[in-house]
């Protein structure tokens, strides 16, 4: 057993109101530079819909993720090393800018510089890529709130699989919001797809990152990611992706999207997992068994054997304590309401979702029934406006039973807590009907509805003794070991030292340039990590002191 720690996230879709605050704040923090105008590390999709980029879930077209070969072994759906070698200069399996959208601005200067005329001047749209006038026809959330529209919904790759169960009449359409970020997978196909070894998975916390210095712009990672959460910066010629806001989480702060979420629907915590079993679990033959297979890789942080193995691997005590208090482990195992997004891609994603329950109470009340009664709620699960079949294609590779079980638990929580809020005696039969106790339902309600900041975000800080590693990102990939799924060889290796993101302060630079000891040139003690600087004050040694001249 090789115990490793992974930062993970759960989103409660019942609470997402589609305000896009998470997308806007992420955009301002990470992708407000030239070349990233079309890039959204976080986006909120209306379901059913085409998604962003359009139809990204159609892996028959885009060939993202993994599949099993004839011998039952994992291989990249887009092809192995030889195929990549022949297509390295012209990758056809990649969304074009039209599948995203051509970003634009407006010719605002015309509003002020236009000569006197009878008509009011117009600020026409202008492409941010070519600089030429353009016609706006699509954007990142063009189909926002238009689920079920006859021109949009049929293009949803998930909806095609269940279209016989779903009415596409606009007035009868169902709709829910799906926020998405990089999944920071346990078995990332983007990492294995990278010819230059620029993409890697940090071993201390599982965050998947791109080394900008090593990236050569081959864009195989864009093809390899089935969620299409790796983007190409056409100005720098480099790949970019969600970083899980690692400068924030290293100091115990949640990601920007979580911090600013209006609906408080995001949860962040630590999961312990057995890295030696990742390949075995991702290679399960039956797609519908992948959900349980991934759960089997995750370890119980309360198990003494797991704790002992984690200590042997050097996982700090405060990280183990954070794993025991993790809301992610509670939502996946104790309450059993969180599900992975598209486990059939075999990447083993670590951003999970609580599926939406639909407006079932209002629907039942409209028929003259008690919308909060447990019997009525349980009976209506299979007749919900959001079809279980659609949710199953999103979260359990088409198996409806886990989804049905989650929705029953959420319905039981509503009914059980309603009795308590009305001053009635608790009905333990409601809890037993879904395999839970009243105490568990009460705890689940607290976590999902009223949990404070510290319970939703249980993020251990990075350790000072690991500071040099974290600043230099010299940790490699957690799956880069013998027998790991596709991390070795000339396509996807992670050899050598990564480039630093910390910078030398003034005094360290001066000592290195004027000192006689060559060994001191390799020390890292004089570096300042600017990404962890909050902008207040001046980091010690970053600038010369008064009266001190730069040599």
């Amino acid at each position: 057993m090789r115990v490793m720690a992974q930062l993970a996230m759960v989103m409660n879709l019942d609470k997402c109101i589609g305000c896009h605050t998470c997308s806007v704040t992420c955009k301002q923090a990470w992708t407000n530079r030239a070349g990233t105008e079309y890039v959204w590390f976080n986006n909120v999709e209306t379901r059913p819909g085409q998604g962003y980029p359009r139809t990204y879930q159609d892996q028959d077209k885009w060939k993202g993720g993994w599949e099993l070969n004839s011998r039952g072994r994992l291989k990249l759906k887009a092809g192995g090393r030889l195929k990549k070698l022949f297509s390295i200069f012209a990758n056809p399996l990649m969304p074009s800018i039209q599948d995203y959208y051509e970003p634009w601005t407006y010719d605002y200067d015309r509003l002020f510089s236009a000569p006197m005329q009878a008509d009011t001047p117009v600020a026409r749209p202008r492409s941010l890529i070519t600089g030429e006038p353009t016609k706006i026809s699509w954007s990142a959330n063009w189909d926002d709130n238009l689920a079920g529209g006859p021109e949009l919904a049929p293009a949803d790759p998930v909806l095609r699989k269940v279209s016989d169960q779903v009415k596409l009449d606009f007035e009868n359409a169902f709709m829910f919001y799906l926020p998405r970020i990089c999944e920071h997978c346990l078995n990332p196909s983007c990492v294995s797809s990278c010819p230059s070894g620029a993409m890697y998975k940090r071993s201390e916390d599982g965050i998947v990152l791109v080394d900008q210095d090593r990236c050569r712009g081959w864009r195989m990672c864009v093809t390899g990611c089935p969620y299409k959460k790796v983007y190409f910066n056409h100005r720098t010629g480099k790949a970019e992706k969600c970083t899980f806001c690692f400068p924030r989480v290293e100091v115990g702060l949640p990601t920007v999207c979580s911090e600013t979420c209006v609906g408080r629907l995001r949860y962040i915590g630590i999961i312990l997992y057995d890295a030696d079993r990742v390949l075995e679990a991702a290679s399960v033959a039956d797609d519908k068994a992948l959900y349980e297979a991934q759960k089997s890789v995750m370890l119980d942080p309360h198990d003494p054997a797991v704790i002992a193995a984690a200590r042997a691997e050097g996982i700090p005590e405060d990280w183990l304590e954070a794993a025991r208090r993790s809301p992610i482990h509670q939502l996946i195992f104790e309450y059993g309401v969180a599900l992975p997004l598209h486990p059939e891609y075999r990447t083993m994603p670590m951003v999970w979702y609580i599926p939406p329950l639909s407006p079932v109470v209002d629907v039942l009340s409209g028929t003259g029934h008690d919308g909060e009664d447990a019997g009525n709620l349980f009976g209506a699960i299979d007749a919900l406006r959001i079809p279980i079949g659609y949710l199953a294609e999103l979260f359990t590779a088409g198996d409806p039973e886990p989804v049905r079980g989650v929705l029953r638990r959420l319905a039981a929580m509503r009914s059980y807590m309603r009795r308590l809020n009305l001053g009635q005696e608790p009905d333990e039969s409601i809890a037993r009907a879904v395999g839970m106790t009243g105490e568990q339902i009460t705890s689940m309600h607290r976590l999902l509805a009223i949990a404070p900041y510290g319970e939703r975000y249980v993020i251990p800080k990075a350790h000072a003794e690991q500071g040099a590693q974290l600043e230099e990102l010299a940790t490699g990939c957690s799956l880069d070991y013998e027998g790991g799924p596709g991390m070795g060889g000339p396509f996807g290796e992670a050899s050598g030292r990564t480039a630093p993101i910390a910078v030398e302060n003034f005094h360290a630079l001066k000592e290195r340039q004027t000192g006689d000891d060559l060994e001191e040139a390799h020390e890292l003690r004089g570096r300042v990590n600017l990404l962890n600087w909050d902008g207040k004050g001046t980091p010690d040694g970053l600038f010369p002191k008064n009266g001190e001249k730069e040599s």
Side-chain angles (χ1 to χ4, degrees), residues 342-534:
H342 290 300
E344 69 272 18
Y345 297 161
R346 300 179 181 272
T347 61
M348 308 192 78
M350 289 310 297
V351 176
W352 287 38
Y353 294 86
I354 300 174
L357 188 56
S358 301
V360 61
V361 174
D362 292 338
V363 172
L364 288 172
S365 300
T367 62
H369 296 85
D370 184 353
E372 299 279 5
D373 180 77
N376 292 337
L377 282 171
F378 291 159
I381 290 296
D382 286 301
L384 293 178
R385 197 170 186 181
I386 302 176
I388 288 181
Y390 186 87
L391 296 175
E393 292 294 342
L394 276 176
F395 302 120
T396 54
D399 185 3
E401 289 308 314
V403 176
R404 187 175 288 112
V406 170
L407 296 180
R408 283 174 59 86
R409 291 187 189 96
L410 296 176
M413 182 184 70
R414 288 191 181 189
S415 183
Y416 186 90
M417 295 306 300
R418 183 222 192 185
R419 292 182 62 87
L420 296 185
N421 291 333
L422 292 178
Q424 301 175 2
E425 290 295 321
D427 185 354
E428 293 297 322
S429 65
I430 298 175
R432 288 195 299 270
V434 293
M436 301 178 72
T437 65
E439 183 179 358
Q440 283 180 311
I441 285 187
T442 304
S443 299
M444 180 172 72
H445 173 263
R446 172 182 171 81
L447 183 59
L448 294 182
I450 59 175
Y453 192 93
E455 293 180 21
R456 289 183 288 121
Y457 309 130
V458 182
I459 308 170
K461 295 181 181 180
H463 276 238
E465 64 270 19
Q466 298 174 340
Q469 284 187 326
L470 293 174
E471 288 186 354
E472 304 305 317
L473 301 183
T475 52
C477 176
S478 64
L479 300 182
D480 187 14
Y481 59 94
E482 184 177 356
M487 301 299 155
F491 289 90
E493 80 243 10
S495 60
R497 188 181 183 86
T498 54
I501 58 171
V503 296
E504 281 184 303
N505 63 32
F506 171 78
H507 301 290
L509 178 62
K510 180 179 179 180
E511 289 178 14
R512 182 169 62 82
Q513 291 177 334
T514 60
D516 295 326
D517 191 350
L518 295 179
E519 291 299 321
E520 291 184 0
H522 301 289
E523 292 187 4
L524 306 176
R525 57 185 172 81
R527 293 190 181 274
V528 176
N529 190 338
L530 296 180
L531 289 180
N532 281 342
W533 179 36
D534 62 3

Side-chain angles (χ1 to χ4, degrees), residues 330-351:
Q330 295 175 43
L331 292 169
I332 293 175
F333 291 98
E334 294 182 32
Y335 309 136
V337 293
L339 301 171
L341 181 64
H342 290 300
E344 69 272 18
Y345 297 161
R346 300 179 181 272
T347 61
M348 308 192 78
M350 289 310 297
V351 176

